[in-house]
């Protein structure tokens, strides 16, 4: 009897549990199966797992300032353009700030001569690799630098001149580095115009104006009444001076001043039977080379010039009055020519009786 009760109790419990599961499934979701509902019921019956404490909030990392922009690293090796001068002429035509078309009328652009720049790398023979310089850059930015010639260039004067001397260091320019021009950092391009059809410094009429850019005192001297004919385009500065360097004083073309003067004044060279000592010693004892207010480029007028060396005994000490003359009467010849009225052969005489340089 008791066993039957136990069976009925178990069946009743089973039926009750089935009804509870079915009602739960229908309430949660109409399509939920009995197995899913039983699992949900089991999960609700289990105690909830203890929650882990939340991790402490970490402070946000401070914002870092952007690194300053650095200049782009230069290329390891500058490169040359593929088309040479054709690339340059795309920008440097006659309408540009630096026109260069006139160089094709000069010796530098003769491709038939193997010694010229255009027989080698053309423009880049002198200006260096230009591929980076020829690249287009955004508006407002500058082109990559290239070798520029002249006093205002970023390229050191010594480096500019070395490029020129790479071809032009011959016997006439071997003393350039020890010359006053080379020692004072005068650039070749300060005097020469390489791209011009006619270089002014090579023309007799135009050369003095180039030299006067620095030598302003000499410009004033050549405007005096008695001068060498430089301003008349019959001479130029390089007629007497070796501007690229010389072993003599004042960059003279000859070893001494007298030898330089004899290049034109050969009749004064001698030898003569009766010499005048100052003439053989130095022409500048009596003459100034660039210009003078006195006749024949004299440093002083006679008799003051002559009396720097010669005694006044027996001669008039004051030429412009009669007080210094033995007769007391001034002579018109004396007033006009002074000592040269009698001693006309001041540069020397070959006459047997010319000991006094009077004939």
């Amino acid at each position: 009897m008791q066993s039957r009760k136990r069976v009925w109790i178990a069946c009743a419990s089973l039926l009750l549990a089935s009804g509870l599961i079915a009602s739960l499934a229908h309430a949660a979701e109409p399509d939920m199966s009995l197995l899913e509902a039983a699992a949900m019921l089991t999960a609700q019956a289990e105690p909830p797992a203890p929650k882990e404490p939340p991790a402490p909030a970490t402070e946000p990392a401070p914002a870092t300032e952007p690194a300053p922009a650095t200049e782009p690293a230069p290329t390891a090796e500058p490169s040359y353009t593929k088309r040479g001068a054709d690339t340059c002429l795309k920008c440097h035509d006659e309408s540009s700030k630096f026109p260069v078309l006139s160089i094709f009328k000069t010796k530098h652009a003769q491709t038939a001569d193997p010694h010229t720049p255009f027989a080698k790398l053309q423009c880049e023979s002198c200006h260096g690799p230009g591929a980076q310089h020829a690249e287009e850059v955004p508006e407002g930015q500058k082109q990559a630098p290239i070798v520029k010639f002249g006093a205002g260039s970023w390229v050191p004067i010594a480096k500019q001149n070395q490029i020129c001397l790479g071809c032009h260091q011959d016997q006439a320019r071997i003393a350039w580095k020890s010359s006053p021009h080379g020692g004072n950092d005068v650039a070749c391009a300060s005097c020469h115009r390489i791209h011009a059809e006619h270089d002014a410094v090579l023309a007799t009429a135009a050369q003095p104006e180039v030299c006067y850019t620095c030598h302003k005192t000499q410009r004033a001297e050549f405007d005096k009444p008695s001068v060498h004919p430089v301003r008349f385009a019959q001479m130029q500065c390089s007629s007497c001076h070796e501007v690229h360097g010389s072993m003599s004083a004042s960059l003279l073309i000859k070893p001494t001043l007298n030898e330089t003067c004899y290049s034109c004044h050969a009749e004064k060279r001698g030898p003569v039977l009766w010499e005048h000592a100052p003439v053989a010693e130095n022409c500048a004892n009596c003459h100034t080379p660039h210009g003078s207010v006195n006749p024949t480029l004299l440093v002083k007028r006679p008799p003051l010039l002559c009396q720097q060396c010669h005694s006044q005994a027996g001669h008039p000490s004051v030429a412009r009055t009669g007080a210094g003359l033995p007769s007391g009467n001034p002579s018109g010849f004396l007033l006009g020519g002074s000592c040269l009225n009698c001693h006309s052969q001041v540069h020397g005489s070959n006459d047997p009786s010319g000991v006094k340089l009077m004939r």
Side-chain angles (χ1 to χ4, degrees), residues 233-251:
Q234 297 179 19
M235 286 183 65
Q236 54 188 355
C237 303
S238 59
S239 298
C240 300
H241 299 283
E242 178 49 71
V243 296
H244 296 112
S246 172
M247 298 302 176
S248 62
S250 304
L251 293 177

Side-chain angles (χ1 to χ4, degrees), residues 2 22 85 167 280 343:
Q2 292 181 353
C167 295
H343 306 280

Side-chain angles (χ1 to χ4, degrees), residues 108-133:
H108 284 91
Q110 302 301 316
T111 57
D113 186 350
H115 301 289
T116 65
F118 267 66
K120 302 170 186 175
L121 294 170
Q122 301 180 345
C123 303
E124 292 165 290
S125 295
C126 300
H127 291 281
Q132 287 78 7
H133 178 73

Side-chain angles (χ1 to χ4, degrees), residues 194-223:
I194 308 304
H195 294 149
E197 179 181 1
H198 302 290
D199 191 0
V201 79
L202 301 180
T204 302
Q207 184 190 94
E209 289 298 324
V210 178
C211 301
Y212 294 159
T213 305
C214 299
H215 301 282
K216 302 184 185 302
T217 301
Q218 283 70 27
R219 176 197 290 272
E221 290 179 344
F222 278 115
D223 283 334

Side-chain angles (χ1 to χ4, degrees), residues 247-259:
M247 298 302 176
S248 62
S250 304
L251 293 177
L252 295 175
I253 60 175
K254 299 293 184 179
T256 65
L257 175 64
N258 280 21
E259 289 295 324

Side-chain angles (χ1 to χ4, degrees), residues 6-334:
R6 290 175 181 174
V7 172
W8 282 108
I9 292 173
C11 290
S13 300
L14 182 61
L15 291 173
L16 181 61
S18 300
L20 181 61
I21 293 172
S23 62
L24 178 61
H26 181 73
E29 191 171 346
D31 298 332
M32 182 179 293
S33 64
L34 292 177
L35 293 176
E36 292 175 348
M40 180 180 293
L41 186 62
T42 304
Q44 291 179 357
E46 293 178 356
K51 295 182 179 180
E52 296 181 0
T58 58
E59 296 182 0
T64 58
E65 297 182 359
T70 57
E71 296 182 1
T75 56
E77 185 69 26
S79 56
Y80 290 90
T81 58
K82 295 181 179 180
R83 301 185 61 191
D86 291 339
T87 303
C88 304
L89 294 176
K90 290 180 180 179
C91 298
H92 295 283
D93 56 10
E94 288 303 299
S95 61
S96 72
K97 184 178 180 181
F98 302 103
V100 299
L101 291 181
S102 57
I103 195 174
F104 292 101
K105 300 178 181 179
T106 69
K107 294 181 179 179
H108 284 91
Q110 302 301 316
T111 57
D113 186 350
H115 301 289
T116 65
F118 267 66
K120 302 170 186 175
L121 294 170
Q122 301 180 345
C123 303
E124 292 165 290
S125 295
C126 300
H127 291 281
Q132 287 78 7
H133 178 73
E135 292 177 354
E136 293 185 4
V137 296
E139 186 176 357
Q141 295 186 14
K142 294 184 177 181
Q143 303 287 135
I146 198 170
V147 175
K148 179 183 177 184
F149 294 88
S153 172
W154 62 273
V155 181
I157 299 296
K159 183 177 180 180
Q160 294 181 43
N161 291 348
Q162 191 58 44
I163 295 174
C164 301
L165 292 173
C167 295
H168 294 283
Q169 187 158 3
D170 53 11
Q171 184 176 358
R173 300 169 186 84
I174 196 171
W176 167 259
K177 293 182 179 179
S178 61
S179 71
H181 288 133
N184 286 283
D185 282 340
V186 176
C188 301
S190 295
C191 302
H192 294 279
R193 295 294 176 264
I194 308 304
H195 294 149
E197 179 181 1
H198 302 290
D199 191 0
V201 79
L202 301 180
T204 302
Q207 184 190 94
E209 289 298 324
V210 178
C211 301
Y212 294 159
T213 305
C214 299
H215 301 282
K216 302 184 185 302
T217 301
Q218 283 70 27
R219 176 197 290 272
E221 290 179 344
F222 278 115
D223 283 334
K224 292 179 178 179
S226 178
V227 295
H228 276 113
V230 171
R231 69 170 186 251
F232 308 114
Q234 297 179 19
M235 286 183 65
Q236 54 188 355
C237 303
S238 59
S239 298
C240 300
H241 299 283
E242 178 49 71
V243 296
H244 296 112
S246 172
M247 298 302 176
S248 62
S250 304
L251 293 177
L252 295 175
I253 60 175
K254 299 293 184 179
T256 65
L257 175 64
N258 280 21
E259 289 295 324
T260 303
C261 297
Y262 296 155
S263 300
C264 296
H265 304 282
E267 74 281 2
K268 306 297 190 296
R269 180 189 298 271
V272 292
L273 181 59
W274 305 103
E275 284 188 345
H276 193 187
V279 176
E281 180 183 340
N282 194 332
C283 300
N285 287 334
C286 300
H287 300 280
T288 182
H290 295 126
S292 173
V293 296
N294 303 312
T296 60
L297 291 169
L298 292 175
V299 295
K300 290 183 179 181
R301 287 179 178 268
L304 300 178
L305 175 63
C306 304
Q307 289 173 353
Q308 290 182 138
C309 299
H310 296 281
S311 170
Q312 303 174 12
H315 289 75
S317 58
V318 181
R320 305 255 177 223
T321 67
L325 297 176
S327 63
N329 297 318
S331 165
F333 292 99
L334 177 62

